Amino acid sequence: MESEIEKLRQLKQEREKMKERQGIAVAPKEKVKENENDKAVTVCPECGSHQLVHDYERAELVCQNCGLVLDDDFIDRGPEWRAFDHDQRMKRSRVGAPMTFTIHDKGLSTMIDWRNRDSYGRAISSKNRAQLYRLRKWQRRIRVSNATERNLAFALSELDRMASALGLPRNVRETAAVVYRDAVDKNLIRGRSIEGVAAAALYAACRQCNVPRTLDEIAEVSRVSRKEIGRTYRFISRELGLKLLPTSPADYVPRFCSGLGLKGEVQSRAMEILKQAGERELTSGRGPTGVAAAAIYISSILSGERRTQREVADVAGVTEVTIRNRYKELAEQLDIEIII
């Protein structure tokens, strides 16, 4: 055993000498800085370049600028096979989907395939199909074994339904599922409807991920009232210690402009108006959607892409009276001349 270790050391020394002869510098191990998470920093310690290249043939991490070898003999954690289309990838892959919080068992359970074929692709005989049907039925039943899993299964499917109706991205769904699971762990569901807590968790996730949706929008796709969602949201945010800042009017501008079919110039001008209004504290104490709608209305007029108050109100979910009051305040305080 000792002789094998000695041989490996000699081979490594010979390899380093060969690199020195070829003019490639080898970085000592103490020169590779490490960050707070104990991961190698992606900066060359010699020249400070970020252009680092993984040479998988030689198993080295090399600086493209000065040629310094930052790491050697690293492990290639990718698959040992290649695929040139989707069918090949599905056939050669030996792993399933990644873990997700949006499924009650986190996606780690197995499923009996609905196709009546065995592992070789051959059709299953009619004699065994009845048994396979019973196995599928019992597999579905035992997948949800107790009341907690049944609660989670229903609530997470409700979350997914509401998120799909609102067109929310994947990270918001995952965050909402985590918030709901935390509420279940702290026994905050008792005495409250599952739909109400799920809607409140989705609203909290939207604010955490900076994808703001109003309570009215959440209530529109849920099966509970706006009042109950707001009350449940305040309760779970207090109990779970969620530190959420108030939503800014600027967060709504891109979505409202997209809904109105306005150009990027109108959006930029609206953001500038909101920035000036924030510096003069004109947005405090007012609904963010109303202020954002007023800024877009002013910007559309100044940019020559006029939209009516009715059109802006329909997209923003506010009344025309709110837009009139807010745009008059903004125009008067910011000295903006609007020609109707």
Side-chain angles (χ1 to χ4, degrees):
M1 185 70 180
E2 292 180 0
S3 61
E4 291 180 0
I5 294 172
E6 189 62 32
K7 285 180 181 177
L8 289 172
R9 285 178 184 166
Q10 290 176 0
L11 285 171
K12 194 167 184 180
Q13 289 175 0
E14 290 175 3
R15 188 178 181 184
E16 289 178 358
K17 287 178 182 178
M18 191 178 294
K19 289 176 185 174
E20 289 175 3
R21 289 194 208 102
Q22 292 173 352
I24 301 175
V26 179
K29 294 294 180 184
E30 61 268 17
K31 279 192 178 182
V32 179
K33 299 179 184 177
E34 299 200 350
N35 61 10
E36 298 174 353
N37 298 326
D38 295 334
K39 292 179 181 178
V41 177
T42 56
V43 179
C44 177
E46 292 295 327
C47 64
S49 173
H50 291 272
Q51 298 178 350
L52 306 182
V53 179
H54 286 86
D55 187 349
Y56 290 102
E57 291 184 1
R58 297 182 177 85
E60 294 175 345
L61 178 64
V62 184
C63 174
Q64 198 173 12
N65 190 31
C66 66
L68 182 74
V69 178
L70 297 172
D71 191 13
D72 60 350
D73 297 333
F74 64 80
I75 300 171
D76 181 7
R77 301 184 184 276
E80 80 284 2
W81 47 264
R82 292 191 300 169
F84 299 98
D85 56 28
H86 179 70
D87 291 338
Q88 282 188 2
R89 183 175 296 277
M90 294 301 292
K91 286 178 182 177
R92 296 178 182 179
S93 178
R94 297 188 295 273
V95 296
M99 189 182 74
T100 174
F101 288 101
T102 57
I103 304 175
H104 73 280
D105 55 9
K106 298 182 182 179
L108 299 176
S109 64
T110 57
M111 288 292 293
I112 299 175
D113 196 11
W114 59 270
R115 289 169 292 193
N116 292 320
R117 293 187 176 276
D118 60 12
S119 58
Y120 296 102
R122 295 191 298 254
I124 293 174
S125 63
S126 57
K127 189 190 340 184
N128 295 328
R129 284 185 187 178
Q131 182 185 3
L132 194 60
Y133 173 77
R134 286 195 298 273
L135 287 173
R136 285 198 196 101
K137 183 170 65 176
W138 280 105
Q139 198 272 342
R140 284 195 302 270
R141 288 178 179 176
I142 65 174
R143 193 180 177 199
V144 181
S145 56
N146 54 35
T148 303
E149 287 192 357
R150 208 161 31 246
N151 180 329
L152 271 177
F154 177 74
L156 295 176
S157 64
E158 185 72 8
L159 269 175
D160 195 55
R161 182 190 66 79
M162 292 188 290
S164 297
L166 292 170
L168 296 174
R170 190 75 190 169
N171 65 320
V172 177
R173 303 182 190 204
E174 293 283 347
T175 306
V178 171
V179 172
Y180 187 87
R181 286 173 182 272
D182 291 342
V184 170
D185 292 340
K186 292 202 172 184
N187 202 22
L188 304 180
I189 312 297
R190 186 178 296 276
R192 292 171 180 81
S193 67
I194 295 175
E195 294 94 339
V197 180
L202 188 63
Y203 178 67
C206 288
R207 293 185 61 173
Q208 278 186 333
C209 298
N210 296 321
V211 185
R213 294 293 186 274
T214 62
L215 278 173
D216 291 321
E217 289 176 296
I218 301 289
E220 190 177 340
V221 298
S222 69
R223 297 189 178 97
V224 290
S225 65
R226 179 185 187 277
K227 185 177 180 181
E228 184 179 348
I229 295 172
R231 185 168 60 240
T232 308
Y233 162 72
R234 287 191 293 272
F235 173 72
I236 66 171
S237 63
R238 183 176 66 249
E239 294 296 323
L240 296 179
L242 302 177
K243 305 296 183 184
L244 300 174
L245 296 174
T247 55
S248 169
D251 295 334
Y252 294 94
V253 170
R255 184 157 61 94
F256 292 168
C257 286
S258 177
L260 290 165
L262 296 171
K263 294 181 180 178
E265 180 189 350
V266 180
Q267 181 176 325
S268 301
R269 186 166 287 185
M271 297 290 276
E272 185 62 32
I273 291 170
L274 289 174
K275 183 180 178 183
Q276 294 175 10
E279 291 171 354
R280 300 194 184 187
E281 298 183 354
L282 301 177
T283 59
S284 59
R286 292 165 177 80
T289 53
V291 178
I296 292 171
Y297 177 67
I298 295 171
S299 177
S300 67
I301 294 173
L302 296 177
S303 301
E305 291 191 40
R306 184 187 296 269
R307 295 291 187 274
T308 63
Q309 293 178 9
R310 178 75 265 167
E311 290 175 321
V312 179
D314 288 340
V315 171
V318 295
T319 62
E320 296 177 58
V321 177
T322 302
I323 294 178
R324 266 197 297 277
N325 293 336
R326 296 294 169 265
Y327 102 78
K328 286 177 182 176
E329 289 175 5
L330 292 175
E332 183 180 344
Q333 296 293 329
L334 300 178
D335 296 327
I336 300 174
E337 186 178 353
I338 301 174
I339 302 172
I340 302 296

